[in-house]
Amino acid sequence: ERVLDLVCGDGTFTRILAAAGADVIGVEVAEAALRRARAAHPDLRFALTPIDGPLPLDDGAFDVVWSTEVIEHVADTARWLSEVRRVLRPRGRLLLTTPNHGRLRLLVGGIARYSEPLGDHLHLYSARSLRGLLNDFGFDDVTVSSADGPPGYRRLLLSRAVRG
């Protein structure tokens, strides 16, 4: 399968995907991270993309888009998700993770703990809000589950959605 590792960091997971047999490209917004990825994995493909611009990729080019711990940092979520949909083939899959900010976590920790004024998290997602967002952008078969922690207080959201 053709896989996009969207905001790939140092390319570690891009390498794992390639080793598993995927035809993968890693895309990064930070030039320093991209240099590290290219130096560590010279046999893999990486590309730089503007943080707020279009992805430098063809329409319908990917079977899977993998993006972990990214969506909460994106200023224009609508544009970002539109670009993800554009590069996915019809019935292609989006797999993403983001921190879980359900009611109990916010009640116990307070919103300031998770959304510092100078922090880089621009959006806080609960399972319900993430599911609704993905449905609103034309994704089907959306599943969102939580992980890492006791029930009702899990730290991580894992989602899967299919481009409709």
Side-chain angles (χ1 to χ4, degrees), residues 37-80:
R38 287 177 171 155
H41 314 288
D43 54 324
L44 297 179
R45 290 176 295 146
F46 296 98
L48 184 66
T49 188
I51 196 166
D52 58 355
L55 294 170
L57 304 163
D58 293 335
D59 295 358
F62 295 94
D63 301 298
V64 177
V65 172
W66 164 259
S67 188
T68 184
E69 307 298 307
V70 174
I71 194 170
E72 67 274 13
H73 301 281
V74 174
D76 189 344
T77 306
R79 183 174 187 164
W80 188 81

Short mmCIF file of all heavy atoms in Angstrom, two decimals, residues 37-80:
data_model
loop_
_atom_site.label_atom_id
_atom_site.label_comp_id
_atom_site.label_asym_id
_atom_site.label_seq_id
_atom_site.Cartn_x
_atom_site.Cartn_y
_atom_site.Cartn_z
N ALA A 37 15.74 13.19 9.52
CA ALA A 37 15.12 12.03 8.88
C ALA A 37 15.92 11.59 7.66
O ALA A 37 16.21 10.39 7.49
CB ALA A 37 13.68 12.35 8.48
N ARG A 38 16.32 12.54 6.84
CA ARG A 38 17.09 12.21 5.63
C ARG A 38 18.46 11.65 5.99
O ARG A 38 18.95 10.73 5.32
CB ARG A 38 17.22 13.43 4.74
CG ARG A 38 15.93 13.78 4.04
CD ARG A 38 16.04 15.04 3.22
NE ARG A 38 14.86 15.24 2.38
CZ ARG A 38 14.45 16.41 1.94
NH1 ARG A 38 15.14 17.51 2.23
NH2 ARG A 38 13.37 16.50 1.20
N ALA A 39 19.09 12.18 7.03
CA ALA A 39 20.40 11.69 7.44
C ALA A 39 20.31 10.28 8.03
O ALA A 39 21.16 9.42 7.75
CB ALA A 39 21.03 12.63 8.47
N ALA A 40 19.26 10.03 8.81
CA ALA A 40 19.11 8.72 9.46
C ALA A 40 18.61 7.64 8.50
O ALA A 40 18.91 6.46 8.69
CB ALA A 40 18.15 8.84 10.63
N HIS A 41 17.86 8.05 7.47
CA HIS A 41 17.23 7.08 6.57
C HIS A 41 17.40 7.54 5.12
O HIS A 41 16.42 7.87 4.44
CB HIS A 41 15.75 6.94 6.91
CG HIS A 41 15.47 6.80 8.37
ND1 HIS A 41 15.76 5.66 9.08
CD2 HIS A 41 14.96 7.69 9.27
CE1 HIS A 41 15.43 5.84 10.34
NE2 HIS A 41 14.95 7.05 10.49
N PRO A 42 18.64 7.54 4.60
CA PRO A 42 18.88 8.10 3.26
C PRO A 42 18.20 7.32 2.14
O PRO A 42 18.03 7.85 1.04
CB PRO A 42 20.41 8.04 3.14
CG PRO A 42 20.85 7.03 4.12
CD PRO A 42 19.85 7.06 5.24
N ASP A 43 17.77 6.10 2.41
CA ASP A 43 17.13 5.28 1.39
C ASP A 43 15.62 5.54 1.28
O ASP A 43 14.96 5.03 0.38
CB ASP A 43 17.36 3.80 1.69
CG ASP A 43 16.93 3.41 3.10
OD1 ASP A 43 17.10 4.23 4.03
OD2 ASP A 43 16.43 2.28 3.28
N LEU A 44 15.07 6.37 2.17
CA LEU A 44 13.64 6.65 2.17
C LEU A 44 13.35 8.02 1.57
O LEU A 44 14.23 8.87 1.49
CB LEU A 44 13.08 6.59 3.59
CG LEU A 44 13.19 5.23 4.28
CD1 LEU A 44 12.62 5.31 5.70
CD2 LEU A 44 12.48 4.15 3.48
N ARG A 45 12.09 8.21 1.16
CA ARG A 45 11.67 9.48 0.57
C ARG A 45 11.03 10.38 1.63
O ARG A 45 10.17 9.93 2.39
CB ARG A 45 10.66 9.24 -0.55
CG ARG A 45 11.29 8.59 -1.77
CD ARG A 45 10.27 8.27 -2.83
NE ARG A 45 9.37 7.25 -2.29
CZ ARG A 45 8.08 7.16 -2.55
NH1 ARG A 45 7.50 7.99 -3.37
NH2 ARG A 45 7.34 6.21 -2.03
N PHE A 46 11.47 11.63 1.64
CA PHE A 46 10.93 12.63 2.56
C PHE A 46 10.71 13.92 1.78
O PHE A 46 11.43 14.20 0.82
CB PHE A 46 11.90 12.89 3.72
CG PHE A 46 12.11 11.70 4.60
CD1 PHE A 46 13.22 10.88 4.43
CD2 PHE A 46 11.19 11.39 5.60
CE1 PHE A 46 13.41 9.78 5.24
CE2 PHE A 46 11.38 10.29 6.41
CZ PHE A 46 12.49 9.48 6.24
N ALA A 47 9.73 14.71 2.24
CA ALA A 47 9.45 15.99 1.60
C ALA A 47 9.09 17.02 2.66
O ALA A 47 8.54 16.68 3.71
CB ALA A 47 8.30 15.85 0.60
N LEU A 48 9.39 18.26 2.36
CA LEU A 48 9.04 19.38 3.22
C LEU A 48 7.71 19.95 2.75
O LEU A 48 7.46 20.06 1.55
CB LEU A 48 10.12 20.45 3.15
CG LEU A 48 9.95 21.66 4.05
CD1 LEU A 48 10.07 21.26 5.52
CD2 LEU A 48 10.99 22.72 3.71
N THR A 49 6.86 20.30 3.70
CA THR A 49 5.58 20.92 3.37
C THR A 49 5.40 22.16 4.24
O THR A 49 5.84 22.16 5.38
CB THR A 49 4.40 19.94 3.57
OG1 THR A 49 3.20 20.52 3.05
CG2 THR A 49 4.20 19.57 5.01
N PRO A 50 4.76 23.19 3.71
CA PRO A 50 4.49 24.35 4.56
C PRO A 50 3.49 23.97 5.65
O PRO A 50 2.58 23.18 5.42
CB PRO A 50 3.90 25.39 3.60
CG PRO A 50 3.52 24.66 2.38
CD PRO A 50 4.30 23.37 2.34
N ILE A 51 3.67 24.54 6.83
CA ILE A 51 2.81 24.19 7.96
C ILE A 51 1.35 24.55 7.70
O ILE A 51 0.45 23.88 8.18
CB ILE A 51 3.32 24.84 9.27
CG1 ILE A 51 2.67 24.17 10.47
CG2 ILE A 51 3.13 26.34 9.25
CD1 ILE A 51 3.34 24.48 11.78
N ASP A 52 1.10 25.56 6.90
CA ASP A 52 -0.28 25.99 6.67
C ASP A 52 -0.67 25.97 5.19
O ASP A 52 -1.64 26.58 4.79
CB ASP A 52 -0.48 27.40 7.22
CG ASP A 52 0.50 28.39 6.59
OD1 ASP A 52 1.37 27.98 5.82
OD2 ASP A 52 0.37 29.60 6.88
N GLY A 53 0.09 25.23 4.39
CA GLY A 53 -0.18 25.24 2.97
C GLY A 53 -0.61 23.89 2.44
O GLY A 53 -0.78 22.94 3.20
N PRO A 54 -0.74 23.80 1.14
CA PRO A 54 -1.13 22.54 0.53
C PRO A 54 0.00 21.51 0.62
O PRO A 54 1.18 21.85 0.64
CB PRO A 54 -1.41 22.92 -0.93
CG PRO A 54 -0.61 24.15 -1.16
CD PRO A 54 -0.55 24.87 0.15
N LEU A 55 -0.39 20.25 0.67
CA LEU A 55 0.60 19.17 0.66
C LEU A 55 1.18 19.05 -0.74
O LEU A 55 0.43 19.11 -1.72
CB LEU A 55 -0.06 17.85 1.08
CG LEU A 55 -0.55 17.79 2.52
CD1 LEU A 55 -1.39 16.54 2.76
CD2 LEU A 55 0.63 17.83 3.48
N PRO A 56 2.49 18.87 -0.87
CA PRO A 56 3.12 18.79 -2.19
C PRO A 56 2.97 17.39 -2.79
O PRO A 56 3.94 16.75 -3.18
CB PRO A 56 4.58 19.11 -1.87
CG PRO A 56 4.78 18.56 -0.49
CD PRO A 56 3.48 18.80 0.22
N LEU A 57 1.72 16.93 -2.87
CA LEU A 57 1.43 15.56 -3.28
C LEU A 57 0.23 15.55 -4.22
O LEU A 57 -0.64 16.43 -4.15
CB LEU A 57 1.14 14.70 -2.04
CG LEU A 57 2.25 14.71 -0.98
CD1 LEU A 57 1.72 14.21 0.35
CD2 LEU A 57 3.44 13.90 -1.44
N ASP A 58 0.16 14.51 -5.05
CA ASP A 58 -0.92 14.39 -6.01
C ASP A 58 -2.24 13.99 -5.35
O ASP A 58 -2.26 13.33 -4.31
CB ASP A 58 -0.58 13.34 -7.07
CG ASP A 58 0.58 13.77 -7.96
OD1 ASP A 58 0.79 15.00 -8.10
OD2 ASP A 58 1.26 12.89 -8.51
N ASP A 59 -3.32 14.36 -6.01
CA ASP A 59 -4.66 13.94 -5.56
C ASP A 59 -4.75 12.42 -5.59
O ASP A 59 -4.29 11.77 -6.54
CB ASP A 59 -5.73 14.50 -6.50
CG ASP A 59 -5.82 16.01 -6.50
OD1 ASP A 59 -5.08 16.66 -5.73
OD2 ASP A 59 -6.64 16.54 -7.27
N GLY A 60 -5.38 11.85 -4.57
CA GLY A 60 -5.66 10.41 -4.54
C GLY A 60 -4.43 9.53 -4.59
O GLY A 60 -4.51 8.39 -5.04
N ALA A 61 -3.30 10.03 -4.11
CA ALA A 61 -2.04 9.29 -4.24
C ALA A 61 -1.82 8.22 -3.18
O ALA A 61 -0.95 7.37 -3.36
CB ALA A 61 -0.87 10.28 -4.21
N PHE A 62 -2.60 8.22 -2.10
CA PHE A 62 -2.29 7.34 -0.97
C PHE A 62 -3.46 6.47 -0.56
O PHE A 62 -4.62 6.90 -0.58
CB PHE A 62 -1.82 8.17 0.23
CG PHE A 62 -0.53 8.87 -0.05
CD1 PHE A 62 -0.53 10.18 -0.51
CD2 PHE A 62 0.68 8.23 0.10
CE1 PHE A 62 0.65 10.83 -0.81
CE2 PHE A 62 1.87 8.86 -0.20
CZ PHE A 62 1.85 10.16 -0.66
N ASP A 63 -3.13 5.25 -0.16
CA ASP A 63 -4.11 4.32 0.41
C ASP A 63 -4.33 4.62 1.88
O ASP A 63 -5.41 4.40 2.41
CB ASP A 63 -3.61 2.87 0.27
CG ASP A 63 -3.38 2.49 -1.16
OD1 ASP A 63 -4.36 2.49 -1.94
OD2 ASP A 63 -2.22 2.19 -1.52
N VAL A 64 -3.27 5.11 2.55
CA VAL A 64 -3.31 5.37 3.98
C VAL A 64 -2.57 6.67 4.28
O VAL A 64 -1.49 6.90 3.74
CB VAL A 64 -2.64 4.23 4.79
CG1 VAL A 64 -2.61 4.54 6.28
CG2 VAL A 64 -3.31 2.89 4.53
N VAL A 65 -3.16 7.49 5.14
CA VAL A 65 -2.46 8.63 5.73
C VAL A 65 -2.36 8.35 7.22
O VAL A 65 -3.38 8.12 7.88
CB VAL A 65 -3.18 9.97 5.48
CG1 VAL A 65 -2.53 11.09 6.28
CG2 VAL A 65 -3.17 10.31 3.99
N TRP A 66 -1.14 8.35 7.73
CA TRP A 66 -0.86 8.14 9.15
C TRP A 66 -0.38 9.46 9.72
O TRP A 66 0.55 10.07 9.20
CB TRP A 66 0.21 7.07 9.31
CG TRP A 66 0.84 7.06 10.66
CD1 TRP A 66 2.05 7.58 11.02
CD2 TRP A 66 0.29 6.52 11.87
NE1 TRP A 66 2.29 7.39 12.36
CE2 TRP A 66 1.21 6.74 12.90
CE3 TRP A 66 -0.92 5.86 12.17
CZ2 TRP A 66 0.98 6.33 14.21
CZ3 TRP A 66 -1.14 5.46 13.47
CH2 TRP A 66 -0.20 5.69 14.47
N SER A 67 -1.02 9.92 10.80
CA SER A 67 -0.62 11.17 11.43
C SER A 67 -0.81 11.05 12.93
O SER A 67 -1.93 10.88 13.41
CB SER A 67 -1.44 12.33 10.87
OG SER A 67 -0.94 13.55 11.33
N THR A 68 0.28 11.14 13.65
CA THR A 68 0.21 10.96 15.10
C THR A 68 0.63 12.23 15.84
O THR A 68 1.67 12.80 15.54
CB THR A 68 1.04 9.74 15.54
OG1 THR A 68 0.87 9.53 16.95
CG2 THR A 68 2.50 9.88 15.24
N GLU A 69 -0.23 12.63 16.76
CA GLU A 69 0.03 13.79 17.61
C GLU A 69 0.30 15.05 16.77
O GLU A 69 1.23 15.81 17.05
CB GLU A 69 1.19 13.51 18.56
CG GLU A 69 1.05 12.24 19.37
CD GLU A 69 -0.15 12.22 20.30
OE1 GLU A 69 -0.32 13.16 21.09
OE2 GLU A 69 -0.94 11.26 20.23
N VAL A 70 -0.54 15.27 15.76
CA VAL A 70 -0.39 16.42 14.86
C VAL A 70 -1.63 17.31 14.86
O VAL A 70 -1.51 18.53 14.99
CB VAL A 70 -0.09 15.96 13.41
CG1 VAL A 70 -0.09 17.13 12.45
CG2 VAL A 70 1.23 15.21 13.36
N ILE A 71 -2.81 16.73 14.73
CA ILE A 71 -4.02 17.51 14.50
C ILE A 71 -4.26 18.56 15.58
O ILE A 71 -4.78 19.64 15.30
CB ILE A 71 -5.25 16.59 14.32
CG1 ILE A 71 -6.43 17.39 13.75
CG2 ILE A 71 -5.60 15.85 15.59
CD1 ILE A 71 -7.60 16.53 13.31
N GLU A 72 -3.83 18.30 16.79
CA GLU A 72 -4.03 19.27 17.88
C GLU A 72 -3.15 20.51 17.74
O GLU A 72 -3.38 21.52 18.39
CB GLU A 72 -3.80 18.61 19.25
CG GLU A 72 -2.38 18.19 19.53
CD GLU A 72 -2.01 16.82 19.00
OE1 GLU A 72 -2.76 16.22 18.20
OE2 GLU A 72 -0.93 16.33 19.40
N HIS A 73 -2.14 20.44 16.86
CA HIS A 73 -1.22 21.56 16.64
C HIS A 73 -1.57 22.39 15.40
O HIS A 73 -0.95 23.42 15.16
CB HIS A 73 0.22 21.04 16.46
CG HIS A 73 0.71 20.26 17.61
ND1 HIS A 73 1.18 20.83 18.76
CD2 HIS A 73 0.81 18.91 17.80
CE1 HIS A 73 1.55 19.90 19.61
NE2 HIS A 73 1.33 18.72 19.05
N VAL A 74 -2.54 21.95 14.63
CA VAL A 74 -2.85 22.57 13.35
C VAL A 74 -3.78 23.76 13.55
O VAL A 74 -4.87 23.63 14.13
CB VAL A 74 -3.51 21.53 12.41
CG1 VAL A 74 -3.98 22.18 11.13
CG2 VAL A 74 -2.54 20.39 12.13
N ALA A 75 -3.37 24.93 13.06
CA ALA A 75 -4.18 26.14 13.22
C ALA A 75 -5.47 26.06 12.39
O ALA A 75 -6.55 26.35 12.89
CB ALA A 75 -3.37 27.37 12.83
N ASP A 76 -5.36 25.67 11.13
CA ASP A 76 -6.52 25.61 10.25
C ASP A 76 -6.88 24.15 10.00
O ASP A 76 -6.48 23.55 9.00
CB ASP A 76 -6.22 26.34 8.94
CG ASP A 76 -7.44 26.51 8.06
OD1 ASP A 76 -8.46 25.82 8.29
OD2 ASP A 76 -7.37 27.32 7.12
N THR A 77 -7.63 23.59 10.93
CA THR A 77 -7.98 22.17 10.86
C THR A 77 -8.79 21.86 9.61
O THR A 77 -8.60 20.80 9.00
CB THR A 77 -8.78 21.77 12.12
OG1 THR A 77 -8.03 22.14 13.28
CG2 THR A 77 -9.03 20.27 12.16
N ALA A 78 -9.65 22.76 9.20
CA ALA A 78 -10.46 22.53 8.00
C ALA A 78 -9.58 22.37 6.77
O ALA A 78 -9.76 21.45 5.97
CB ALA A 78 -11.46 23.68 7.80
N ARG A 79 -8.61 23.24 6.62
CA ARG A 79 -7.71 23.15 5.47
C ARG A 79 -6.89 21.87 5.54
O ARG A 79 -6.70 21.18 4.54
CB ARG A 79 -6.81 24.37 5.42
CG ARG A 79 -5.91 24.36 4.21
CD ARG A 79 -5.12 25.64 4.09
NE ARG A 79 -4.41 25.63 2.83
CZ ARG A 79 -3.89 26.68 2.29
NH1 ARG A 79 -3.99 27.86 2.87
NH2 ARG A 79 -3.24 26.60 1.15
N TRP A 80 -6.38 21.55 6.72
CA TRP A 80 -5.54 20.36 6.91
C TRP A 80 -6.32 19.10 6.55
O TRP A 80 -5.83 18.26 5.78
CB TRP A 80 -5.03 20.32 8.34
CG TRP A 80 -4.01 19.28 8.62
CD1 TRP A 80 -2.68 19.33 8.36
CD2 TRP A 80 -4.23 18.00 9.24
NE1 TRP A 80 -2.06 18.17 8.78
CE2 TRP A 80 -2.98 17.34 9.32
CE3 TRP A 80 -5.36 17.35 9.73
CZ2 TRP A 80 -2.83 16.08 9.87
CZ3 TRP A 80 -5.22 16.09 10.28
CH2 TRP A 80 -3.97 15.47 10.35
#
